Amino acid sequence: MIIPIRCFSCGKPIAHLWEKFKARVEKGEDPKKVLDDLGLERYCCRAVFLGHVDLLELTSKFKKF
Amino acid sequence: MAIKIEKLSKEKEKISFIVRGINNSVANAIRRSVLEIPTLAIDTVEFYKNDSALYDEILAHRLGLVPLKATKTFVQRGKCTCKGKGCLKCTATFKLNTKGPKTVYTQDLKSKGVEVAYPEMPLIFLNKDQEIQLTAEATLGIGKEHAKFTPGLLWFNSYPIIEIEGCAGAEDFVKVCPRKAITIKDKRVSIDPLKCDICGACVEYSKNKEKCSIKITPSEEDFIFYIESFGQTKPEEIFIDAIKAIDDNLDKIVKDSKKFK
Ligand SMILES: [Zn+2]
Ligand SMILES: [Zn+2]
């Protein structure tokens, strides 16, 4: 939906890194290198980034009520 | 033995150091007291308008997890002079009034005196004509109450005591270590104690070799500490604050035990 504020498992704040990650991966950089550069060491935080799909922009087009 | 601290590495949000001359219970008491450090986080949110695709509860939960920098003069609500009603000393209020289309970031939260640790966190996405109006109250709390009140992570492991006898010219050892801690210098095997995590792979391997013995035991008085901050405070402050938290809790026991006199 939208990137979680913190990692589910370890609690590290990660949301501020998402847009940097997304921009660099879309340019064609290797996700492994980007994650290392952003300082995400543990596999719990890395999994949040690798598995995330931004769907909120699409979902917000539909009515909630 | 005297207690000594040796710094190993320091980054903006991470620090590691060796503490010599303590024991496991003291090290663990410090680790557990990270949960007792007062930290600021949003606790109540009042919604006036929320047209976004996410429910009020989800947005409120996201707001709660946002790391906030508290000033040193802030006090816990229970210990405040206002007796839990909430005043400027113990409560920080935030306002959020925005209209789409845009992504709302943590920097859009307006408050007096309190800063968010990371201004670029996306909070929510708003489409055209979607609106958000809310006020939020942040208070100090401790990690025991909710994980959002923890200032960071602190963990430690024992410093390894490494004893190597013989093993001359054994270059095959380098491949055995999964942590890549083994290097060969002048045909002698040496193990980096900071990389070693006492897995015992090299110890097992040395049993099948002649004229070679490696012994690795965890030290009972030297510990390597690692601290990672979540952005509210500096990592070295977490260590000091954790010790202060132990001190405060012990003081409470001392105060209470005066009843026996
Ligand atoms: Zn994590
Ligand atoms: Zn107060």
Side-chain angles (χ1 to χ4, degrees):
Chain A
M1 196 60 95
I2 184 167
I3 188 76
I5 298 283
R6 289 176 186 236
C7 169
F8 295 133
S9 309
C10 69
K12 182 187 162 71
I14 51 169
H16 55 296
L17 303 171
W18 169 248
E19 288 184 349
K20 293 173 202 163
F21 174 82
K22 197 181 172 186
R24 284 176 66 176
V25 170
E26 274 172 2
K27 267 187 196 164
E29 263 186 84
D30 182 18
K32 178 189 181 294
K33 203 190 155 275
V34 183
L35 288 169
D36 287 341
D37 278 358
L38 293 175
L40 295 157
E41 287 173 19
R42 290 178 285 274
Y43 53 67
C44 52
C45 314
R46 295 169 84 96
V48 175
F49 277 74
L50 295 174
H52 179 67
V53 183
D54 261 334
L55 278 179
L56 190 60
E57 212 170 322
L58 179 74
T59 317
S60 65
K61 286 177 188 159
F62 300 93
K63 231 177 173 181
K64 189 164 71 173
F65 307 102
Chain B
M1 194 185 167
I3 296 170
K4 253 186 177 174
I5 292 183
E6 292 165 31
K7 200 164 89 179
L8 294 176
S9 73
K10 192 182 180 253
E11 284 166 55
K12 203 183 158 206
E13 286 171 351
K14 281 175 209 160
I15 191 170
S16 68
F17 49 85
I18 306 171
V19 181
R20 293 187 192 277
I22 55 171
N23 61 46
N24 220 313
S25 351
V26 173
N28 200 37
I30 295 170
R31 180 185 71 84
R32 294 194 59 138
S33 293
V34 171
L35 289 188
E36 310 260 354
I37 302 171
T39 310
L40 192 68
I42 289 176
D43 211 27
T44 41
V45 184
E46 210 171 314
F47 286 90
Y48 300 103
K49 203 166 191 189
N50 178 13
D51 299 330
S52 75
L54 296 186
Y55 293 109
D56 294 358
E57 290 86 343
I58 298 173
L59 183 55
H61 181 240
R62 285 179 72 80
L63 285 166
L65 294 175
V66 172
L68 304 170
K69 282 182 178 172
T71 48
K72 285 276 171 209
T73 49
F74 237 73
V75 280
Q76 264 172 290
R77 204 175 241 188
K79 291 173 189 166
C80 186
T81 44
C82 68
K83 287 170 189 164
K85 276 181 207 158
C87 65
L88 283 173
K89 275 188 219 160
C90 61
T91 317
T93 48
F94 288 87
K95 259 186 198 165
L96 182 62
N97 292 321
T98 41
K99 205 175 174 185
K102 67 173 183 181
T103 307
V104 183
Y105 294 94
T106 37
Q107 63 197 0
D108 300 322
L109 285 167
K110 294 273 169 330
S111 90
K112 276 175 197 161
V114 176
E115 265 181 81
V116 289
Y118 306 102
E120 284 141 12
M121 287 177 151
L123 276 174
I124 200 160
F125 177 81
L126 293 176
N127 229 340
K128 195 176 172 269
D129 293 332
Q130 290 183 340
E131 239 179 290
I132 276 196
Q133 282 177 22
L134 60 86
T135 56
E137 277 185 359
T139 51
L140 287 180
I142 58 169
K144 261 179 157 180
E145 198 184 323
H146 192 290
K148 69 183 173 185
F149 294 119
T150 37
L153 303 170
L154 188 156
W155 69 98
F156 63 90
N157 57 266
S158 291
Y159 193 82
I161 300 165
I162 299 160
E163 290 161 80
I164 305 170
E165 268 175 50
C167 306
E171 300 204 350
D172 39 345
F173 264 107
V174 178
K175 280 181 190 166
V176 173
C177 184
R179 303 267 296 181
K180 291 169 187 155
I182 299 177
T183 47
I184 311 265
K185 268 183 204 162
D186 305 329
K187 290 197 172 181
R188 286 175 141 261
V189 176
S190 72
I191 301 173
D192 184 355
L194 299 176
K195 281 185 187 167
C196 177
D197 68 347
I198 323 180
C199 68
C202 53
V203 178
E204 282 298 311
Y205 192 73
S206 72
K207 281 179 189 164
N208 301 322
K209 275 187 143 322
E210 276 175 44
K211 285 180 189 171
C212 179
S213 100
I214 294 181
K215 227 175 126 188
I216 303 180
T217 40
S219 166
E220 296 201 348
E221 49 188 32
D222 301 343
F223 297 89
I224 309 172
F225 276 80
Y226 305 88
I227 303 176
E228 207 180 291
S229 163
F230 285 163
Q232 293 98 327
T233 52
K234 286 178 195 154
E236 58 267 30
E237 270 173 48
I238 293 175
F239 188 71
I240 297 162
D241 286 348
I243 293 168
K244 258 185 210 158
I246 302 177
D247 219 33
D248 287 349
N249 285 336
L250 290 176
D251 273 349
K252 273 179 213 159
I253 299 174
V254 170
K255 241 184 210 171
D256 245 33
S257 65
K258 278 177 184 159
K259 282 178 197 164
F260 300 136
K261 271 183 188 170

